[in-house]
Amino acid sequence: MNDEFKAIERRTVRSFYDDGLFEIALGAIFLLLGVYFFGEIALPETSSLPMFLSSAFFFVIVFAGLLINKILRFLKQRITYPRAGYVSFRKERSPKRRLTAGVIGAVTGASIPVLMQFIPSFRDMLPAFNGFLLGIVFLLLASKSGVARYFVLACISAFAGIALAAAGIGDIRGVSLHCALLGAAMVLSGLAALIVFLRRNKRAAEVPDEP
Amino acid sequence: MSPDLRGLADLDRVIHEPARLVIATILSVAESADFLFLQRETGLTKGNLSFHLTKLEEAGYAAIEKTYKGKIPLTLARLTPAGLKAYKDYRASVKTLFEK
């Protein structure tokens, strides 16, 4: 019986990802990150723009996140809710989980510059590191939501990272390409999911809720 | 009455009804959901869903908010803190009963 409860809970959570809009939005962020990292290495060193880009990284991420969130809400209201109905989810408020996630994030973030400093060859492995890290995030998303597409994206992330590192495209150039590849894969996967969602779910007739 | 049977008899009957149990399970994950979402997920008819939501509301387990989306009435449902507690207690009771 416990499995049946869990199946209903999982199906409810999965309904958030059925329309593919989350992947499209996240994919757009990764494409933006790819362009951002590429800008850092492609711009001439004499220009002050690369330094400006480096220092503005945090703000770029926050701004992009807020913008994508707004767009996602707008699209959900226009596309998803009239077809599948509206649902909002309880926010995770477990302080222990938040603390664990924060500590893991901080340790991972701090370890990258340290590893780059002390292990020179680590720079060549950056895309593989990035690929594994994002692969783990997708695996967590997949196990939480039960969406099989995220398992595929986790594999794409890991394999793309390894392939780039093996091809000798390391450092920021490799990370930039990895982000762009993963972003493109996510947008394509999201668009495919959206097409299926639109075919399966016709817009509900606008009639009052109750008889 | 044996303790096992007493546990069975003590189950919250408002939550125990299958349709309401499905609604409560959905609303335990969701903060709120509209009528269309609940109808699609539960497979209930409008009349049936409305009946069971009213039962949950009467028991103080669900809060029903009636608003408008443009000119179309929109019904949003959520579990109250008492409803969430009742649902969690029910699940714990069922788990204990089945494990015995």
Side-chain angles (χ1 to χ4, degrees), chain B residues 6-70:
Chain B
R6 185 168 297 136
L8 202 60
D10 286 347
L11 284 177
D12 188 332
R13 280 158 197 262
V14 177
I15 297 277
H16 185 61
E17 202 285 330
R20 288 197 286 275
L21 186 55
V22 174
I23 296 171
T25 306
I26 293 169
L27 292 177
S28 72
V29 181
E31 194 170 47
S32 68
D34 74 356
F35 206 83
L36 175 62
F37 183 85
L38 288 173
Q39 207 192 336
R40 286 172 54 96
E41 292 296 314
T42 57
L44 294 170
T45 61
K46 283 187 177 186
N48 244 334
L49 178 59
S50 183
F51 171 78
H52 289 299
L53 281 176
T54 307
K55 283 278 177 192
L56 287 169
E57 190 182 25
E58 281 170 359
Y61 290 171
I64 315 292
E65 187 191 345
K66 296 192 179 193
T67 58
Y68 281 87
K69 183 178 68 182

Side-chain angles (χ1 to χ4, degrees), chain A residues 204-210, chain B residues 35-36 39 46 69 71-74:
Chain A
E206 294 205 330
V207 289
D209 285 338
E210 290 173 64
Chain B
F35 206 83
L36 175 62
Q39 207 192 336
K46 283 187 177 186
K69 183 178 68 182
K71 287 180 181 174
I72 312 294
L74 177 75

